[in-house]
């Protein structure tokens, strides 16, 4: 039986599944329920500075993208940080941590970019006994208009400055939560690293409008006929998040910096993928908001079973294992040649591969009058579109050609050696180097 | 007070009225919007989709399903109705299990096709509920076409001609239009007077006049129609019924299944409709199943379908056979009637076992007797009252191409014409195609 215990920044938790700072972690009641349900840790919903609490809209806070049967694929929100008094939150955090010493409890914080503001709140957070803090430099809506959240996360200098303050006034681990609403995630990550961050967590939500009501012409969620962009999360953002995680994991300047992966984690498989790309653990929000806290059961059981199947005894055995395989396009092996192959026994003759290839790709699939679909190797560039649109799993596969075989499309013999764009004769840079 | 199922003879009220009402409720309840969205999502939007090929009216099924999926059921209805103006009825009565849904790739993949029939009903019901007729007429051509018979073929032909700007007069022998949609389909497939409502909706195109009680040989002749109109379309159906050739077949209690089915459809109060305690239906087609199932639903205690060949040879689809079985109908195959016994009124029917030798039906000599106080003949309908001078073939009016008969200016379609299965959907296709051909010929001439 695999050991799911993780030790992230020295913070032990019984499994790598933490709840992200969000509505599910806004108060003691919810967090106790989460711990009872088996979550390994919780990042408490973001605290703001002392004073009158923030206010939220009194209309809908969430917008949604549905798949078939109203499956929730993407969620967006315009909720702000906690709207409860700071002292109330701090007292609850202290009580919960005392009752659940084996679980990770991190406190998310967002106060103005002034040293005094951070200096004021950090000791009070420390008093709660929480295991660490997460700096919310990510929320793209509302608070960013007030110079906080993603407004900080979009300026590496601010990230570094605030991180430095936190390391100065707080003894325990500092995690910097990054916004994806930037052009290159490596810059804010490097800034956090330079400021002394113990880890980064990402992604926060993506700026978004989920839909427009075509009767009222208002974006959704609509507040009295108007809408504001919100933060997008859920399964739809997972590919964006994983790319950003991988970019940080393989950047020479941040390599080895611990990462807590966030963005659409819904199943054990999602978690395993994030962790293979270098995350020490994952944070979950939308899946819990969609299905309730009980989903963690499947995540734990699935991850454990997969680890057993693969012979991994602890999560550190596979964390980061996929990072060396993430590379730049220019280093991909151009001598690797594959061809699509259709399993005629599995084919149900829907013709989607044909339509996709004939209309939008390379005219590399033939269709007979009796609906037999076959790949024309002389045209197939192995783009994978037919595989992607085929409704039958494993019906179409990409079969690599063996070295020595002749690719009927190019007439060239498939080479065994590796050759990439940097070496290619068509690359002006390669020619210049000769 | 209900008489109960044990009462002998042909009597009404075998079941409580509310039970009968429940029994005759919609066979396939309509899909709710969310159900429709989920069902529509299962469609793969196949290339050159097999379901379209399998549809006699060639409805663009993937397109209309996609229109449902994107929240536009009335657009979906238009896609359907452009090809099949009786798409609402076809959604209810088409044997989809042997047409579009049999061809669905998900039938091959999972044994569970996309529910095309129910989705078509969802779309067409939405259009009917919107209470708009989506088509309009072209500029008047000044031509008038006679259509004989207001069944599916005639209505389809008339609507298309009206759309193209022609005027149409339909001569219908019965008291109201609809043909088999109105008189020949099991009540649980067309609830709430759907057939009548659909005809009313169809006629809103304008330019179509229906003269009821007007039949060939009774007031009108083909020659007369040819003189008075620019073209003639015959859709007279199969008005004749094959006789039961067995001694005693004329006894009381023996009647045609088509009449029983028509009575059921026209009855104001089904609980007042009499039915036997022991009912035997002779035949193996859709009409046999419709009669047998409805006899059970009315409260007949024992209902048997007796068919002379094996299950596979039955005209009723396997789905219909299973429906009958699920309602408690016993299906006896490889038996043929040899005598009807009883003193003036049928008491028993005697059947003889058969076997098939080289495709030929052979009686084995062994017989059995079934108790019967009511026997329905459902052994096929025949062409009756077709005008002389028209070439026939295979017992039907011979046609070539889009319904052209041997006489210039006269077209035919539906069950009375050669070619095609005797299905509502086929009749609609034939009527539509003949209309296009009539139009082309009038323009040319």
């Amino acid at each position: 039986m695999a050991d799911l215990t993780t030790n992230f920044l020295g913070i032990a938790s019984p499994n790598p599944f933490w709840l992200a700072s969000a509505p599910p972690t806004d108060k003691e009641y919810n967090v106790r329920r989460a711990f009872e349900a088996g979550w390994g840790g919780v990042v408490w919903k973001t605290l703001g500075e002392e004073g009158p609490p923030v206010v939220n809209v009194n209309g809908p806070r969430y917008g949604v993208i549905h798949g078939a049967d109203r499956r929730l694929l993407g969620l967006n929100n315009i909720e702000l940080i906690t709207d409860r008094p700071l002292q109330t939150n701090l007292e609850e955090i202290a009580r919960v941590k005392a009752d659940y010493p084996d679980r990770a409890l991190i406190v998310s914080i967002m106060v103005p970019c002034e040293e005094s503001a951070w200096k004021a709140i950090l000791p009070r957070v420390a008093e709660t006994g929480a295991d660490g803090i997460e700096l919310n430099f990510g929320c793209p809506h509302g608070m960013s208009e007030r110079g906080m959240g993603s407004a900080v996360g979009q300026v590496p200098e601010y990230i570094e400055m605030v991180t430095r303050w936190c390391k100065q006034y707080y003894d325990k681990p500092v995690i910097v939560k990054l916004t994806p609403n930037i052009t290159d995630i490596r810059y804010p990550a490097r800034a956090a690293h330079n400021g002394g961050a113990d880890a980064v967590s990402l992604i926060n939500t993506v700026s978004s409008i989920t839909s427009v009501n075509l009767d009222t012409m208002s974006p959704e969620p609509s507040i009295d006929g108007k809408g504001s962009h919100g933060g997008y999360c859920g399964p739809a953002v997972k590919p964006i998040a994983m790319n950003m995680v991988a970019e940080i994991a393989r950047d020479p300047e941040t390599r080895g910096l611990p990462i807590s992966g966030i963005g659409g984690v819904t199943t054990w498989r999602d978690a395993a993928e994030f962790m293979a790309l270098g995350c020490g653990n994952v944070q979950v929000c939308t899946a819990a908001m969609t299905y309730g806290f009980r989903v963690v059961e499947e995540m734990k059981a699935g991850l454990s079973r997969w680890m057993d199947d693969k012979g991994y005894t602890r999560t550190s055995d596979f964390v980061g294992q996929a990072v060396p395989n993430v590379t730049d396009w220019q280093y991909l092996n151009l001598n690797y040649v594959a061809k699509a192959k259709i399993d005629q026994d599995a084919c149900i003759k829907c013709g989607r591969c044909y339509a996709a290839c004939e209309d939008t790709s390379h005219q590399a699939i033939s269709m007979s009058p009796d609906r037999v679909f076959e790949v024309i190797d002389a045209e197939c560039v192995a783009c994978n579109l037919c595989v992607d649109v085929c409704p039958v799993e494993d019906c179409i596969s990409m079969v690599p050609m063996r070295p020595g075989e002749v690719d009927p499309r190019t007439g060239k013999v498939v080479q065994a050696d590796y050759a990439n764009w940097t070496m290619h004769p068509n690359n002006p840079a390669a020619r210049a180097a000769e | 007070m209900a008489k109960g199922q044990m009462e002998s003879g042909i009597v009404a009220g075998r079941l409580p009225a509310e039970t009968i009402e429940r029994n005759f409720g919609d066979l396939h309840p309509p899909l709710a919007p969310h159900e429709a969205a989920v069902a529509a999502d299962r469609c793969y939007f196949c290339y050159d989709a097999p379901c379209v090929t399998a549809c006699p009216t060639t409805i663009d099924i993937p397109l209309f399903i996609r229109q449902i999926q994107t929240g536009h059921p009335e657009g979906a209805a238009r896609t359907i109705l452009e090809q099949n103006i009786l798409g609402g009825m076809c959604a209810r009565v088409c044997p989809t299990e042997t047409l579009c849904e049999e061809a669905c790739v998900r039938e091959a993949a999972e044994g569970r096709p996309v529910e095309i029939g129910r989705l078509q009903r969802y779309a067409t019901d939405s259009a009917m509920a919107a209470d708009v007729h989506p088509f309009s007429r072209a500029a008047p051509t000044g031509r008038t076409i006679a259509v004989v018979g207001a069944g599916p073929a005639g209505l389809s032909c008339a609507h298309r001609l009206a759309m193209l700007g022609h005027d149409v007069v339909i001569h219908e022998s019965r008291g109201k239009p609809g043909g088999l949609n109105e008189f020949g389909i099991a009540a649980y497939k067309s609830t709430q007077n759907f057939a009548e409502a659909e005809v009313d909706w169809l006629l809103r195109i304008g330019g179509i006049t229906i003269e009821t009680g007007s039949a060939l040989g009774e007031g009108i002749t083909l020659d007369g129609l040819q003189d008075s109109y620019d073209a003639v379309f015959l859709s007279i159906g199969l008005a004749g019924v094959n006789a039961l050739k067995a001694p005693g077949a004329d006894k009381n209690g023996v009647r045609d299944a088509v009449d029983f089915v028509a009575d059921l459809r026209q009855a104001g109060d089904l609980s007042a409709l009499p039915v036997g305690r022991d009912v035997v239906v002779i035949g193996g087609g859709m009409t046999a199943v419709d009669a047998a199932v409805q006899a059970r639903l009315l409260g007949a205690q024992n209902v048997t379908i007796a068919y002379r060949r094996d299950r596979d040879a039955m005209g009723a689809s396997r789905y219909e056979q299973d429906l009958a079985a699920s309602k408690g109908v016993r299906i006896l195959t490889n038996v043929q009637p040899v005598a009807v016994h009883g003193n003036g009124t049928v008491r028993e029917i005697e059947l003889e076992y058969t076997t098939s030798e080289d495709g030929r039906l052979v009686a084995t000599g062994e017989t059995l007797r079934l108790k019967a106080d009511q026997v329905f003949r459902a052994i096929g309908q025949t062409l009756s009252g077709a005008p002389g001078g028209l070439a026939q073939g295979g017992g039907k009016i011979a046609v070539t191409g889009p319904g052209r008969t041997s006489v210039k200016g006269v077209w035919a379609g539906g069950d009375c014409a050669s070619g095609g299965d005797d299905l509502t959907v086929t009749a609609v296709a034939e009527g539509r195609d003949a209309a296009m051909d009539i139009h082309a010929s009038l323009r040319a001439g």
Side-chain angles (χ1 to χ4, degrees):
Chain A
M1 186 74 175
D3 177 11
L4 294 184
T5 305
T6 57
N7 195 317
F8 188 71
L9 315 179
I11 306 163
S13 59
N15 62 62
F17 301 105
W18 291 8
L19 282 169
S21 168
T25 62
D26 191 26
K27 55 185 189 294
E28 181 175 356
Y29 181 84
N30 304 66
V31 174
R32 283 186 185 275
R33 280 181 68 84
F35 283 156
E36 289 303 317
W39 290 85
V42 152
V43 183
W44 201 277
K45 179 153 167 114
T46 308
L47 309 183
E49 63 182 338
E50 184 71 270
V54 303
V55 294
N56 268 302
V57 292
N58 297 297
R61 301 175 187 188
Y62 303 113
V64 70
I65 296 293
H66 281 138
D69 209 357
R70 285 179 74 84
R71 176 183 285 254
L72 190 151
L73 300 179
L75 186 72
N76 115 330
N77 84 88
I78 56 169
E79 183 172 293
L80 303 184
I81 61 174
T82 184
D83 54 10
R84 306 184 319 135
L86 176 62
Q87 188 56 34
T88 306
N89 277 307
L90 293 171
E91 287 167 8
E92 290 183 3
I93 290 167
R95 278 203 297 272
V96 173
K97 182 61 203 176
D99 287 350
Y100 294 92
D102 65 322
R103 311 300 174 93
L105 207 169
I106 308 296
V107 178
S108 174
I109 308 174
M110 180 196 288
V111 295
C113 272
E114 295 155 8
E115 189 170 355
S116 57
W118 291 91
K119 195 175 172 181
I121 197 169
L122 289 169
R124 298 180 66 182
V125 170
E127 276 176 25
T128 63
D131 300 298
I133 57 172
E134 185 181 78
L135 314 187
N136 182 342
F137 295 159
C139 284
H141 51 274
M143 303 308 287
S144 55
E145 297 168 13
R146 306 173 199 178
M148 290 179 271
S150 66
V152 179
Q154 287 164 342
V155 184
E157 291 78 5
Y158 291 171
I159 295 173
E160 185 173 338
M161 175 179 74
V162 177
T163 306
R164 216 177 280 286
W165 292 336
C166 291
K167 287 304 290 179
Q168 188 179 345
Y169 299 116
Y170 184 71
D171 294 334
K172 289 184 177 170
V174 175
I175 304 168
V176 174
K177 186 166 179 177
L178 301 177
T179 175
N181 302 301
I182 41 84
T183 46
D184 188 338
I185 196 67
R186 292 174 300 179
Y187 289 89
R190 287 168 188 163
H193 191 43
N194 293 340
D198 297 282
V200 289
S201 57
L202 69 157
I203 56 174
N204 202 305
T205 55
V206 183
S207 293
S208 58
I209 291 173
T210 47
S211 60
V212 174
N213 183 316
L214 292 176
D215 295 321
T216 64
M217 287 295 170
S218 168
E220 301 282 5
S222 173
I223 307 292
D224 194 23
K226 306 278 185 202
S228 174
H229 78 265
Y232 196 44
C233 57
V237 308
K238 179 187 150 198
I240 299 166
M242 291 211 300
N243 173 55
M244 291 186 164
V245 162
E247 287 296 288
I248 295 169
R250 71 192 188 96
D251 179 15
E253 293 190 37
T254 50
R255 187 165 291 161
L257 178 67
I259 304 171
S260 183
I262 312 169
V265 174
T266 309
T267 68
W268 71 266
R269 182 182 295 274
D270 298 329
E273 291 178 15
F274 269 97
M275 293 168 80
L277 286 171
C279 297
N281 68 8
V282 293
Q283 296 183 31
V284 177
C285 172
T286 309
M289 291 183 73
T290 309
Y291 304 108
F293 288 145
R294 237 162 48 80
V295 283
V296 75
E297 285 301 321
E298 179 281 327
M299 295 180 187
K300 289 191 295 187
L303 187 66
S304 178
R305 187 189 176 90
W306 170 74
M307 286 172 64
D308 288 346
D309 287 350
K310 294 290 179 185
Y312 299 126
T313 54
R314 57 187 69 80
T315 56
S316 55
D317 289 352
F318 69 90
V319 166
Q321 289 294 304
V323 176
N325 295 327
V326 182
T327 185
D328 293 342
W329 192 97
Q330 62 182 333
Y331 301 123
L332 297 176
N333 185 5
L334 296 176
N335 281 347
Y336 175 82
V337 180
K339 297 289 173 190
K341 188 163 171 39
I342 301 173
D343 177 348
Q344 297 298 339
D345 292 333
C347 176
I348 60 171
K349 305 187 187 304
C350 67
R352 279 166 69 155
C353 58
Y354 176 81
C357 193
E358 191 71 9
D359 286 355
T360 72
S361 296
H362 299 86
Q363 296 77 47
I365 294 178
S366 67
M367 175 180 178
S368 72
D370 57 344
R371 302 185 73 82
V372 174
F373 299 91
E374 287 175 304
V375 175
I376 304 164
D377 284 351
E379 302 295 339
C380 178
V381 303
C383 73
N384 212 45
L385 183 62
C386 55
V387 174
D388 295 342
V389 302
C390 177
V392 180
E393 202 174 349
D394 297 331
C395 175
I396 310 180
S397 46
M398 281 295 152
V399 181
M401 294 188 72
R402 282 191 298 277
E405 289 181 325
V406 176
D407 178 352
R409 183 176 71 87
T410 59
K412 290 180 182 162
V413 176
V414 175
Q415 301 296 314
D417 57 338
Y418 160 86
N420 65 42
W421 173 243
T422 66
M423 317 162 179
H424 199 277
N426 288 16
N427 180 351
R431 231 176 287 155
E434 279 171 6
Chain B
M1 190 59 205
K3 289 205 166 59
Q5 296 188 289
M6 313 297 264
E7 181 94 4
S8 294
I10 302 173
V11 298
R14 289 186 177 277
L15 294 174
E18 55 271 22
T19 307
I20 289 182
E21 192 182 332
R22 196 168 57 242
N23 284 353
F24 282 86
D26 231 322
L27 180 61
H28 302 293
L31 293 169
H34 180 71
E35 287 179 296
V38 174
D41 196 69
R42 295 188 67 240
C43 175
Y44 286 146
F45 205 73
C46 293
Y47 182 82
D48 191 14
C51 55
V52 180
T53 310
C55 175
T57 53
T58 328
I59 292 170
D60 190 340
I61 295 164
L63 176 61
F64 95 67
I65 291 180
R66 195 162 177 80
Q67 288 172 300
I68 291 175
Q69 200 189 355
T70 57
H72 197 193
E74 289 171 42
R78 194 185 169 95
T79 300
I80 294 161
L81 298 164
E82 277 171 358
Q83 289 296 106
N84 179 341
I85 196 64
L86 296 178
M89 182 57 87
C90 289
R92 289 162 166 78
V93 304
C94 260
T96 52
E97 64 277 5
T98 58
L99 297 171
C100 53
E101 291 181 16
E102 182 180 55
C104 177
V105 298
R106 296 199 81 150
E107 169 65 26
E110 305 154 47
R112 198 163 80 84
V114 174
E115 292 181 279
I116 299 167
R118 293 182 81 193
L119 286 165
Q120 178 164 323
R121 172 162 176 194
Y122 177 77
T124 51
D125 278 4
S126 300
M128 296 270 293
D131 203 26
V132 237
H133 189 89
F135 302 106
S136 54
R137 300 185 67 192
T141 60
R143 308 296 188 107
T144 306
I145 293 102
V147 169
V148 185
L155 290 167
S156 165
C157 181
H159 184 272
R160 181 56 61 107
L161 288 168
M163 259 177 83
L164 295 167
H166 306 291
D167 288 328
V168 182
V169 176
I170 305 181
H171 296 271
E172 167 56 45
S173 63
R174 299 222 199 204
K176 63 174 167 179
L180 290 182
N181 284 0
E182 180 60 46
F183 297 96
I185 281 161
Y188 49 79
K189 291 179 185 169
S190 171
T191 57
Q192 295 173 329
N193 273 334
F194 180 78
E196 197 174 323
E198 188 179 44
V199 173
D200 290 345
W201 170 88
L202 177 148
L203 293 176
R204 283 163 66 176
I205 184 79
I208 303 172
T209 311
I210 298 184
E211 293 184 4
T212 53
S214 176
L216 280 175
E218 296 166 32
I220 54 168
T221 62
L222 182 57
D223 288 345
L225 293 176
Q226 284 181 281
D227 288 344
S228 315
Y229 296 96
D230 294 293
V232 178
F233 178 71
L234 300 174
S235 47
I236 58 176
L238 300 174
V241 176
N242 283 326
L244 182 57
K245 293 185 194 110
D250 56 347
K251 292 192 192 304
N252 290 333
V254 181
R255 69 185 294 217
D256 291 325
V258 289
D259 293 340
F260 177 59
V261 171
D263 284 356
L264 276 151
R265 283 294 299 282
Q266 303 306 314
D269 176 12
L270 285 171
S271 61
L273 206 66
V275 71
R277 175 183 178 181
D278 298 293
V279 176
V280 177
V281 182
I282 309 295
M286 293 291 204
T287 303
V289 170
D290 282 356
V293 169
Q294 294 187 104
R296 273 291 293 163
L297 299 179
L298 280 178
Q301 187 186 14
N302 302 301
V303 178
T304 306
I305 288 176
Y307 178 57
R308 61 192 181 130
R309 298 183 187 274
D310 63 14
R311 284 288 283 255
D312 291 341
M314 285 178 77
S317 67
R318 182 56 66 133
Y319 171 83
E320 292 283 333
Q321 296 173 33
D322 290 347
L323 174 71
S326 77
K327 300 297 181 190
V329 173
R330 181 164 69 137
I331 299 178
L332 266 184
T333 55
N334 285 107
V335 288
Q336 63 185 17
V338 287
V340 177
H341 302 288
N343 185 14
T345 296
V346 56
R347 297 291 298 275
E348 279 184 334
I349 184 160
E350 187 173 355
L351 305 165
E352 183 177 18
Y353 285 106
T354 68
T355 182
S356 184
E357 287 175 13
D358 304 327
R360 218 162 33 85
L361 203 65
V362 178
T364 63
E366 185 187 355
T367 64
L368 77 157
R369 286 184 176 216
L370 289 181
K371 228 173 118 181
D373 41 29
Q374 193 167 30
V375 173
F376 291 119
R377 292 179 291 251
I379 44 183
Q381 285 109 262
T382 55
L383 184 64
S384 162
L390 290 178
Q392 293 191 13
K396 297 196 170 191
I397 298 171
V399 294
T400 52
R404 293 175 196 160
T405 69
S406 58
V407 175
K408 191 169 155 39
V410 180
W411 282 257
D415 291 356
C416 71
S418 62
D421 293 326
D422 289 350
L423 295 173
T424 303
V425 65
T426 308
V428 172
E430 290 170 359
R432 176 199 68 195
D433 294 346
M436 296 307 292
D437 197 49
I438 291 167
H439 178 65
S441 112
L442 290 178
R443 281 175 61 134

